[in-house]
Amino acid sequence: MTSIRTDLALEATEIYESKEEKKIPGVIVDKDGDDDIRITRVRIENETSAKVLGKPIGNYITIEVPRLKEKDVDLMEDVSRVLAKEIISLVSLNDKSVILVVGLGNWNITPDSLGPKVVEKIMVTRHMTEYLPEQIDESVRSVCALSPGVLGITGIETSEIILGVVKRVKPDLVIAIDALASRRLERVNTTIQISDTGINPGSGVGNNRKELSEKTIGVPVIAIGVPTVVDAATMANDTIDMVIDNLIKEAEKETGFYEMLKNINREEKMALINEVLSPHIGTLMVTPKEIDGFIEDISYVVADGLNISLHPGIHMDDVHRFIN
Amino acid sequence: MTSIRTDLALEATEIYESKEEKKIPGVIVDKDGDDDIRITRVRIENETSAKVLGKPIGNYITIEVPRLKEKDVDLMEDVSRVLAKEIISLVSLNDKSVILVVGLGNWNITPDSLGPKVVEKIMVTRHMTEYLPEQIDESVRSVCALSPGVLGITGIETSEIILGVVKRVKPDLVIAIDALASRRLERVNTTIQISDTGINPGSGVGNNRKELSEKTIGVPVIAIGVPTVVDAATMANDTIDMVIDNLIKEAEKETGFYEMLKNINREEKMALINEVLSPHIGTLMVTPKEIDGFIEDISYVVADGLNISLHPGIHMDDVHRFIN
Amino acid sequence: MTSIRTDLALEATEIYESKEEKKIPGVIVDKDGDDDIRITRVRIENETSAKVLGKPIGNYITIEVPRLKEKDVDLMEDVSRVLAKEIISLVSLNDKSVILVVGLGNWNITPDSLGPKVVEKIMVTRHMTEYLPEQIDESVRSVCALSPGVLGITGIETSEIILGVVKRVKPDLVIAIDALASRRLERVNTTIQISDTGINPGSGVGNNRKELSEKTIGVPVIAIGVPTVVDAATMANDTIDMVIDNLIKEAEKETGFYEMLKNINREEKMALINEVLSPHIGTLMVTPKEIDGFIEDISYVVADGLNISLHPGIHMDDVHRFIN
Amino acid sequence: MTSIRTDLALEATEIYESKEEKKIPGVIVDKDGDDDIRITRVRIENETSAKVLGKPIGNYITIEVPRLKEKDVDLMEDVSRVLAKEIISLVSLNDKSVILVVGLGNWNITPDSLGPKVVEKIMVTRHMTEYLPEQIDESVRSVCALSPGVLGITGIETSEIILGVVKRVKPDLVIAIDALASRRLERVNTTIQISDTGINPGSGVGNNRKELSEKTIGVPVIAIGVPTVVDAATMANDTIDMVIDNLIKEAEKETGFYEMLKNINREEKMALINEVLSPHIGTLMVTPKEIDGFIEDISYVVADGLNISLHPGIHMDDVHRFIN
């Protein structure tokens, strides 16, 4: 069995279950939240299930907010609060903890600029806790933040820069923000994934991340990702699948074209689509037309969530005063 | 027969010919150029063909440059020269002509910002020809340029602003630059359409343009458009069509699934796809991930082409000196 | 007597009074507010005083906020409220009034970009009151907004564009936002002037505004200006004057250099400074190093003030929800 | 004797010579170039002269281009060539050299954003020489580039980030680009200083650089700086000095105010100006109104100079093709 390629653990489990028509052993899935904010906690428990899903052992929390693109400020604040709560559930911090927030991705490519855009909005305090400790009380933790750029811009591997900085700053926790690829257009800019496994090789919009995890940098790494692009071929394939599934459901249409759909070999079909599309569009990733505004909004949601989760005395109302 | 919905006259003719398997009467199609720069001149000659294609009577010149996204500066300059030549073939200017270049679209939405981005790069001279005529010689025509914004930003119809300015400035020619929607992802950011019919209602990325033509503003209007988005449902549908066509070509695969494809009713299929997709993604328009860089490059190509076509004494080398 | 050259009526009266050591006849000056927000209302009542001050007959309200650069959000909100109150005192609006907000200045030159930056943050509603009146209630007036650019960018006089748009939109009131020049560095980015006389020729940072007033466009014009630059020679001169004044105050220093200061002819001195400086720096305007952030903050203050003054049902809290 | 505070070694020598009316022992000054491009090479030879000028022992090359703000493309290219030649005279590179270009300064503050703006335009090649050596020939050296941000943005000392990266990348040379403060407004945005002494503590627009030199990071550091701001009090003081000097030159004006000028104690005067100005404007730094465009132009000049100096096979014409 081949492993499943998607940046979202939630999608990987969905694909497995849809193909195999059964639960994956060694994966615990817990659903929470409501229609506005759906929370799915996936726990990959062993190497076998890790291999099946193409993701390391660990926790993956997905927050899905179908209406996130509607610029509903109350909803955005609620999502930040939920995000903060889920982040806190995965980390263990004390008064003296130093946190380094890393914004991965290319700031010149809007759908890949989520990380740098979040970093811009992080309440950075490490220089004050270090140089002006008297101005700082226990309401604020020592937070620093960096956007290292991408290989094509700097000529330096992102992981080299981060490792170099980690060795100097010696943080207790690294939080890496990254834009992801989803298989479903409706997840784009509406979904946030938090995991305690760090960044996996080859994930992300830029497709050439190296591993960034406790194993490689010696510090726990929380990854926060938002899908901002879909692969055009995957999207076309999934659309066809949705059409086929829809047709199969309609039982009365049991003749000709429709009947035969049931027997389609779906892996063969995806290969076919790739073969047909690639001379025309290559491996094109697409993003919604309104990506500039979506990235701006979601970067506020993620930054607000981080700010209230990392600083014990900072609440949603304070964050708003800084944002203006 | 329903009219065909696309911003490109070239696509409208392709769709007609592919469906009807014959040429459209009253439409003259002339092909020119080479593999790098393909030129197609479509002339819609009468009301019947105009209705069939959903486009007014007039000339539509399409320049397709499959490698335009590759940042090949020599190719980009060649395209600017071809564009200039085709623009000149459609207009009639003299030494005293005043030209108003209008950049349509929303500068806050990258794929809709082509017009404003081109306007930024136009060599504006009207104030000098008016206030400092001695500094200006016959190598330069009187050019002014404006990006009126969109209704959601200004609260004013774009056409109201343009009409107000036209009444004051009294140009001899208006050139309107706009981002368009294509049906094919491979045309996005690789194609330029020039027409002498102005802007049609409902075209463009923002989808709510009012008519901008000699009829509505009393001055000839040349429209220059570049497709920068595709409708996700259209793209999925066209992908399926490409798959089907590809399969049909492979004659040996004459059984089961493949055989039956021949008999698919394609209009029914598009309706089906829309029905299946719309609850998930609405009428979503998508754009390639790298849209920021593409728009920047193409805005240089279009602005350079305009600058050398409008100013008789300005050549590609001079333009480069201004660009830096 | 020569007229006094400054964009601020308050400065013009100060200069007159300092030179002549008496009040100007025909000018009423009223002071209000507190140390944080000082309000000075200058009313120029007749042609004689208008000529002396180099400003048309009318009302000029100056709001000085020395701590405005400190990013104190509470103070910023208070200033917006004061601004709204003063704007309302100068205009007369009803439920059906249509207001056009015009952002003057060059968006490519940060200290001249205040107008366009304010316009970006205006709650624009005219298209809704026109096309979707049922979605709009009496809490919102019909507001539209436009940044016409500057002559060097468009090749079109700003006043031509505005007049063209005014003829189409037929607003009841035009509000023009502009960046100004001050004589004192400490007024830069800390002062807002509101006047009901419109924009005077030659004022503003770009120095080439044409008149924009009820006389030229047929609609009342409120001008809101913020000084963002000082002329380097003026600043040097005023610094020398401050030094001299300071020295004169210190009575014990009655010998040599200091004694003689009293007898300096100050107009001769300014001419001297101009003569000495101009070969080196021309007529250079300077702005504080941190201008990017200051312009951003003040554009929020002005836009918030406008939003709550123009829309009867919109309050400071609502504005904040839109800002995020 | 107090040390002299300015970022430019050239200004430090000028001030010394003007005050002391003699050459500084241990400092060699060599002048070159023409009226358009004046080159001054200052060599500080020993600790005594280093202390007097407040600058470390080493070479300081100043390129002054009074017309640099005029957007003369030919002149700009000439300056890039001169810059390249002077850089090459200070460094010793071979085919295998790895160079790290560091853009110091705050990208959110335009006059402090020179470093990051230059880094954006550097031809980065290290990733290709490392991962795709066959695509690279001897015309290109291994160059990487990074803008580390400033303490207030990241919470991390710039020198910590650079040291961390230097330890990973192991470059043979670091080139640090920084915006500087000048004492003279006419030097702002018209002057480039190159030195082989690295970055001194407390220099730069942000005023809180830590030392960045071979001593602190173990690698030779070339610093390239452009003054983009002046201190307002210094400017006022220097203006007064220029006025006084001018008056003294005019011998016929030998009475009253003028006579006495000769006897002014200039250090006392500067203290006086600071005392008078500081309650009003603090220690305000100012920059020309048109700073956005100046920074853009100069960042091209510096980046072009670096690109042709670092890559043996890249010439001015090639650079232009990349810039577009």
Side-chain angles (χ1 to χ4, degrees):
Chain A
M1 183 187 302
T2 59
S3 79
I4 296 155
R5 175 71 187 84
T6 164
D7 287 343
L8 296 175
L10 174 62
E11 287 189 347
T13 59
E14 285 175 355
I15 294 164
Y16 178 93
E17 290 175 4
S18 135
K19 276 162 80 176
E20 306 293 322
E21 300 189 350
K22 60 168 186 179
K23 300 277 170 201
I24 317 168
V27 175
I28 295 172
V29 178
D30 165 48
K31 292 185 178 292
D32 201 348
D34 56 28
D35 279 357
D36 267 343
I37 305 180
R38 291 196 298 265
I39 305 167
T40 311
R41 300 185 192 90
V42 173
R43 183 170 177 77
I44 301 180
E45 298 212 302
N46 56 44
E47 280 303 337
T48 315
S49 52
K51 210 170 164 192
V52 167
L53 295 180
K55 307 254 160 261
I57 292 175
N59 292 289
Y60 301 83
I61 301 169
T62 309
I63 303 170
E64 290 174 278
V65 191
R67 297 200 302 105
L68 190 54
K69 300 195 239 179
E70 295 175 14
K71 275 193 145 320
D72 175 337
V73 177
D74 291 319
L75 177 62
M76 287 165 70
E77 293 185 5
D78 285 344
V79 176
S80 292
R81 283 188 200 97
V82 167
L83 174 63
K85 215 177 127 198
E86 298 296 329
I87 292 169
I88 289 167
S89 79
L90 290 183
V91 301
S92 139
L93 298 172
N94 62 47
D95 278 10
K96 299 287 167 221
S97 299
V98 174
I99 301 105
L100 170 62
V101 180
V102 174
L104 301 175
N106 186 338
W107 45 73
N108 293 328
I109 293 177
T110 303
D112 196 20
S113 68
L114 179 81
K117 284 227 160 68
V118 169
V119 157
E120 280 174 16
K121 300 175 182 82
I122 293 297
M123 283 181 60
V124 162
T125 50
R126 178 174 169 271
H127 53 310
M128 291 185 286
T129 53
E130 194 144 298
Y131 300 110
L132 302 163
E134 71 284 0
Q135 287 195 11
I136 291 288
D137 57 21
E138 65 277 13
S139 71
V140 168
R141 278 208 191 84
S142 177
V143 172
C144 52
L146 186 76
S147 292
V150 295
L151 185 61
I153 284 182
T154 60
I156 312 170
E157 275 289 347
T158 306
S159 53
E160 285 181 288
I161 298 176
I162 296 170
L163 187 49
V165 172
V166 162
K167 295 229 167 185
R168 308 291 312 167
V169 170
K170 297 186 176 46
D172 301 291
L173 174 68
V174 167
I175 298 182
I177 320 294
D178 203 4
L180 305 177
S182 168
R183 294 178 70 94
R184 301 219 158 182
L185 201 43
E186 70 259 37
R187 285 225 171 85
V188 165
N189 302 320
T190 61
T191 303
I192 303 170
Q193 176 177 270
I194 317 156
S195 86
D196 57 6
T197 62
I199 301 286
N200 307 315
S203 68
V205 169
N207 252 339
N208 45 16
R209 305 276 182 275
K210 289 211 171 169
E211 184 169 345
L212 194 71
S213 68
E214 185 156 9
K215 205 175 75 190
T216 59
I217 64 169
V219 176
V221 179
I222 295 287
I224 300 181
V226 172
T228 64
V229 298
V230 282
D231 172 68
T234 305
M235 190 178 74
N237 183 61
D238 286 357
T239 303
I240 297 175
D241 281 352
M242 282 165 66
V243 172
I244 294 171
D245 291 345
N246 198 273
L247 291 171
I248 290 171
K249 273 185 209 146
E250 302 182 28
E252 69 279 17
K253 296 182 176 172
E254 286 269 349
T255 53
F257 174 48
Y258 311 109
E259 162 62 18
M260 184 229 32
L261 293 168
K262 260 183 179 160
N263 305 310
I264 295 169
N265 179 327
R266 295 198 178 189
E267 298 216 345
E268 186 185 317
K269 178 175 52 58
M270 181 71 205
L272 191 66
I273 289 171
N274 275 327
E275 187 192 317
V276 171
L277 278 183
S278 59
H280 295 272
I281 59 168
T283 54
L284 199 71
M285 307 282 258
V286 296
T287 193
K289 184 184 77 173
E290 303 85 352
I291 185 67
D292 306 85
F294 293 157
I295 286 279
E296 191 62 22
D297 288 349
I298 295 174
S299 68
Y300 271 112
V301 169
V302 173
D304 287 359
L306 277 169
N307 285 329
I308 61 178
S309 70
L310 299 181
H311 298 301
I314 300 292
H315 303 286
M316 211 59 218
D317 289 352
D318 313 299
V319 164
H320 262 245
R321 304 199 75 75
F322 289 95
I323 284 171
N324 186 4
Chain B
M1 183 187 305
T2 58
S3 78
I4 297 154
R5 175 73 186 82
T6 164
D7 286 342
L8 295 175
L10 174 63
E11 287 189 347
T13 58
E14 284 175 355
I15 294 164
Y16 179 92
E17 289 174 5
S18 135
K19 276 162 80 176
E20 305 294 324
E21 301 189 349
K22 61 168 185 179
K23 300 278 170 198
I24 317 168
V27 175
I28 296 172
V29 178
D30 165 48
K31 291 187 180 290
D32 200 348
D34 56 26
D35 278 358
D36 266 343
I37 305 180
R38 290 197 298 265
I39 304 168
T40 312
R41 300 185 192 91
V42 173
R43 181 169 180 78
I44 301 181
E45 297 213 301
N46 57 43
E47 281 303 339
T48 315
S49 52
K51 211 171 164 191
V52 168
L53 295 179
K55 307 255 161 260
I57 292 175
N59 292 289
Y60 301 83
I61 300 169
T62 308
I63 303 170
E64 291 175 277
V65 190
R67 297 199 302 106
L68 189 54
K69 300 196 241 179
E70 293 174 15
K71 275 192 148 318
D72 175 336
V73 177
D74 291 318
L75 177 62
M76 287 165 70
E77 292 185 6
D78 286 344
V79 175
S80 293
R81 283 189 200 98
V82 167
L83 175 62
K85 213 176 127 198
E86 298 296 330
I87 291 170
I88 288 167
S89 78
L90 290 183
V91 302
S92 138
L93 298 173
N94 61 48
D95 277 11
K96 299 289 167 218
S97 299
V98 174
I99 301 106
L100 170 62
V101 180
V102 174
L104 301 175
N106 187 338
W107 46 72
N108 293 328
I109 293 178
T110 302
D112 196 21
S113 68
L114 178 81
K117 286 226 160 67
V118 169
V119 157
E120 279 174 14
K121 300 174 184 84
I122 293 296
M123 282 181 60
V124 162
T125 51
R126 178 175 168 271
H127 53 310
M128 291 185 285
T129 53
E130 195 145 298
Y131 301 111
L132 302 163
E134 70 283 359
Q135 287 194 10
I136 290 291
D137 57 22
E138 64 278 13
S139 71
V140 168
R141 279 209 191 81
S142 177
V143 172
C144 52
L146 187 76
S147 291
V150 294
L151 186 61
I153 283 182
T154 60
I156 312 171
E157 275 290 348
T158 305
S159 53
E160 285 181 289
I161 297 175
I162 296 170
L163 188 49
V165 172
V166 163
K167 296 230 168 185
R168 308 290 312 164
V169 170
K170 297 185 178 45
D172 301 291
L173 174 68
V174 167
I175 298 182
I177 320 295
D178 202 3
L180 304 177
S182 166
R183 294 177 71 94
R184 302 218 157 183
L185 201 42
E186 70 259 37
R187 285 225 170 85
V188 166
N189 303 320
T190 62
T191 303
I192 304 171
Q193 175 177 270
I194 317 157
S195 85
D196 56 7
T197 62
I199 300 286
N200 308 315
S203 68
V205 169
N207 252 339
N208 46 16
R209 306 274 183 276
K210 288 210 172 170
E211 184 170 344
L212 194 70
S213 68
E214 185 156 10
K215 205 174 76 189
T216 59
I217 64 169
V219 175
V221 179
I222 296 287
I224 300 180
V226 173
T228 62
V229 298
V230 281
D231 172 68
T234 304
M235 191 178 75
N237 183 61
D238 287 356
T239 304
I240 297 176
D241 281 353
M242 282 164 65
V243 172
I244 293 171
D245 291 344
N246 199 273
L247 292 171
I248 289 171
K249 274 185 210 147
E250 304 183 25
E252 71 279 15
K253 294 182 177 173
E254 285 270 350
T255 52
F257 174 48
Y258 311 108
E259 162 62 20
M260 183 228 35
L261 292 167
K262 258 184 183 159
N263 304 309
I264 294 170
N265 178 326
R266 296 197 177 189
E267 297 215 346
E268 187 185 315
K269 178 175 52 57
M270 181 72 205
L272 191 67
I273 288 172
N274 274 327
E275 187 193 317
V276 170
L277 279 183
S278 59
H280 296 272
I281 59 168
T283 53
L284 200 70
M285 305 282 257
V286 296
T287 193
K289 185 185 77 172
E290 302 86 351
I291 185 67
D292 305 86
F294 293 157
I295 286 278
E296 192 62 21
D297 288 350
I298 295 175
S299 69
Y300 270 112
V301 169
V302 173
D304 287 0
L306 277 169
N307 285 330
I308 61 176
S309 69
L310 298 181
H311 298 302
I314 300 293
H315 303 286
M316 211 58 218
D317 288 353
D318 313 299
V319 165
H320 261 244
R321 303 199 75 75
F322 289 95
I323 284 170
N324 186 3
Chain C
M1 181 187 304
T2 58
S3 78
I4 297 155
R5 175 70 187 82
T6 163
D7 287 341
L8 294 176
L10 174 62
E11 287 189 347
T13 59
E14 284 175 355
I15 294 164
Y16 179 93
E17 290 174 6
S18 136
K19 277 162 79 176
E20 306 292 325
E21 300 189 350
K22 61 168 186 179
K23 299 277 171 201
I24 318 168
V27 175
I28 296 171
V29 177
D30 165 48
K31 291 186 178 292
D32 201 347
D34 55 28
D35 279 358
D36 266 344
I37 305 180
R38 291 197 299 265
I39 304 167
T40 311
R41 298 186 192 91
V42 174
R43 180 170 179 77
I44 301 181
E45 296 213 302
N46 56 44
E47 281 302 338
T48 315
S49 53
K51 210 171 163 191
V52 168
L53 295 180
K55 306 253 160 264
I57 293 174
N59 294 288
Y60 301 83
I61 301 169
T62 308
I63 304 170
E64 290 175 279
V65 191
R67 298 201 301 105
L68 190 54
K69 301 196 241 180
E70 293 174 14
K71 274 195 146 318
D72 175 337
V73 177
D74 291 318
L75 178 61
M76 287 165 70
E77 292 186 5
D78 285 345
V79 176
S80 293
R81 282 188 201 97
V82 168
L83 175 62
K85 213 176 128 199
E86 298 297 330
I87 292 170
I88 288 166
S89 79
L90 291 182
V91 302
S92 141
L93 297 173
N94 62 47
D95 277 11
K96 300 287 167 220
S97 298
V98 174
I99 301 105
L100 170 63
V101 180
V102 174
L104 301 175
N106 187 337
W107 46 74
N108 292 329
I109 293 179
T110 303
D112 196 20
S113 67
L114 178 80
K117 285 228 161 67
V118 169
V119 157
E120 279 173 16
K121 300 174 183 81
I122 293 297
M123 281 181 60
V124 162
T125 50
R126 178 175 168 270
H127 53 310
M128 290 185 285
T129 53
E130 195 145 298
Y131 301 109
L132 303 162
E134 70 284 0
Q135 287 195 10
I136 291 289
D137 57 22
E138 65 277 13
S139 70
V140 169
R141 278 208 192 83
S142 177
V143 172
C144 52
L146 187 76
S147 291
V150 295
L151 185 61
I153 284 182
T154 60
I156 312 172
E157 275 290 348
T158 306
S159 53
E160 285 181 288
I161 298 175
I162 297 170
L163 187 49
V165 172
V166 163
K167 295 229 167 183
R168 308 290 312 166
V169 170
K170 298 185 176 48
D172 301 291
L173 174 69
V174 167
I175 297 181
I177 320 295
D178 203 4
L180 304 176
S182 168
R183 293 178 70 93
R184 302 217 155 185
L185 201 43
E186 69 260 36
R187 285 226 170 86
V188 166
N189 303 321
T190 62
T191 303
I192 304 170
Q193 175 177 270
I194 317 156
S195 87
D196 56 6
T197 63
I199 300 286
N200 308 315
S203 67
V205 169
N207 253 339
N208 46 16
R209 304 276 183 275
K210 289 212 170 168
E211 185 170 343
L212 194 69
S213 68
E214 184 155 10
K215 206 175 74 190
T216 59
I217 64 167
V219 176
V221 179
I222 295 288
I224 300 180
V226 173
T228 62
V229 298
V230 282
D231 172 69
T234 305
M235 190 178 75
N237 184 61
D238 287 357
T239 304
I240 297 176
D241 281 353
M242 282 165 64
V243 172
I244 295 172
D245 292 344
N246 199 273
L247 293 170
I248 290 171
K249 273 186 210 146
E250 304 183 26
E252 70 280 15
K253 295 183 176 172
E254 286 271 347
T255 52
F257 174 48
Y258 311 109
E259 164 61 21
M260 183 232 29
L261 291 169
K262 258 184 181 158
N263 305 309
I264 293 169
N265 178 326
R266 296 199 177 189
E267 297 215 347
E268 187 186 315
K269 180 176 51 56
M270 180 70 205
L272 192 67
I273 288 172
N274 274 326
E275 187 192 315
V276 170
L277 279 183
S278 58
H280 296 271
I281 58 167
T283 54
L284 199 70
M285 307 282 257
V286 296
T287 193
K289 184 184 77 173
E290 304 84 354
I291 184 68
D292 306 85
F294 293 158
I295 286 277
E296 191 61 22
D297 288 350
I298 295 175
S299 68
Y300 270 112
V301 169
V302 173
D304 287 359
L306 277 169
N307 285 330
I308 62 178
S309 70
L310 298 181
H311 299 301
I314 300 292
H315 303 287
M316 211 58 218
D317 289 353
D318 312 301
V319 165
H320 261 244
R321 303 198 76 74
F322 288 96
I323 283 170
N324 186 2
Chain D
M1 181 187 306
T2 58
S3 79
I4 296 155
R5 175 72 188 83
T6 162
D7 287 342
L8 295 175
L10 174 63
E11 287 189 348
T13 59
E14 284 175 354
I15 294 163
Y16 178 92
E17 290 175 5
S18 137
K19 276 162 79 176
E20 305 293 325
E21 300 188 351
K22 61 167 186 180
K23 300 276 172 200
I24 318 168
V27 174
I28 296 171
V29 177
D30 165 47
K31 290 187 180 292
D32 201 348
D34 55 28
D35 278 359
D36 266 343
I37 305 180
R38 291 197 298 264
I39 304 167
T40 312
R41 301 187 190 90
V42 174
R43 181 170 178 76
I44 302 181
E45 296 212 302
N46 57 43
E47 280 303 337
T48 315
S49 53
K51 211 171 163 191
V52 167
L53 295 180
K55 306 256 159 261
I57 293 173
N59 293 289
Y60 301 82
I61 300 169
T62 309
I63 303 170
E64 290 175 278
V65 191
R67 297 200 300 106
L68 189 55
K69 300 196 240 178
E70 294 174 13
K71 273 194 149 316
D72 174 336
V73 178
D74 291 319
L75 178 61
M76 288 164 71
E77 292 185 6
D78 285 345
V79 176
S80 292
R81 282 189 200 97
V82 168
L83 175 62
K85 214 177 125 197
E86 298 296 330
I87 292 170
I88 289 167
S89 79
L90 290 183
V91 302
S92 138
L93 297 173
N94 61 47
D95 278 9
K96 299 287 166 218
S97 298
V98 174
I99 302 107
L100 170 62
V101 180
V102 173
L104 301 176
N106 186 339
W107 45 74
N108 292 328
I109 293 178
T110 303
D112 196 19
S113 67
L114 179 80
K117 284 226 161 68
V118 170
V119 157
E120 279 173 17
K121 301 175 182 81
I122 293 296
M123 280 181 60
V124 162
T125 50
R126 178 176 169 270
H127 53 309
M128 290 185 286
T129 52
E130 194 145 300
Y131 301 110
L132 303 163
E134 70 284 0
Q135 288 195 8
I136 291 289
D137 56 23
E138 66 277 13
S139 71
V140 168
R141 278 206 192 83
S142 176
V143 171
C144 53
L146 186 76
S147 292
V150 295
L151 185 61
I153 284 182
T154 60
I156 312 171
E157 276 290 348
T158 305
S159 53
E160 285 181 288
I161 297 176
I162 296 169
L163 187 48
V165 172
V166 163
K167 295 230 168 185
R168 308 290 312 165
V169 170
K170 299 186 176 42
D172 302 290
L173 173 68
V174 168
I175 297 182
I177 320 295
D178 203 3
L180 305 177
S182 168
R183 293 177 71 93
R184 301 218 156 182
L185 201 43
E186 71 260 34
R187 285 227 170 84
V188 166
N189 302 321
T190 62
T191 303
I192 303 170
Q193 176 176 271
I194 317 156
S195 87
D196 57 7
T197 62
I199 301 285
N200 308 314
S203 68
V205 169
N207 252 339
N208 45 18
R209 304 276 183 277
K210 290 213 170 167
E211 184 170 343
L212 194 70
S213 68
E214 184 156 9
K215 205 175 75 190
T216 59
I217 64 169
V219 176
V221 179
I222 295 288
I224 299 180
V226 173
T228 63
V229 298
V230 282
D231 172 69
T234 305
M235 191 178 74
N237 183 62
D238 287 358
T239 303
I240 297 175
D241 281 353
M242 282 165 65
V243 172
I244 294 171
D245 292 344
N246 199 273
L247 292 171
I248 290 170
K249 274 185 210 149
E250 304 184 24
E252 70 280 15
K253 294 181 177 173
E254 285 271 348
T255 53
F257 173 48
Y258 311 108
E259 164 61 20
M260 183 231 31
L261 291 168
K262 259 185 181 157
N263 305 310
I264 294 169
N265 178 325
R266 296 200 177 188
E267 298 216 345
E268 187 185 315
K269 179 175 53 55
M270 181 70 205
L272 192 66
I273 288 172
N274 275 326
E275 186 192 317
V276 170
L277 279 183
S278 59
H280 295 271
I281 58 167
T283 53
L284 200 70
M285 305 283 256
V286 296
T287 193
K289 185 185 76 174
E290 303 84 352
I291 184 66
D292 306 85
F294 293 157
I295 287 278
E296 191 62 21
D297 288 349
I298 296 174
S299 68
Y300 271 112
V301 170
V302 174
D304 287 359
L306 277 169
N307 285 329
I308 62 177
S309 71
L310 298 181
H311 299 300
I314 300 292
H315 303 288
M316 211 59 216
D317 289 352
D318 313 300
V319 164
H320 261 244
R321 303 198 75 76
F322 289 96
I323 283 170
N324 186 3

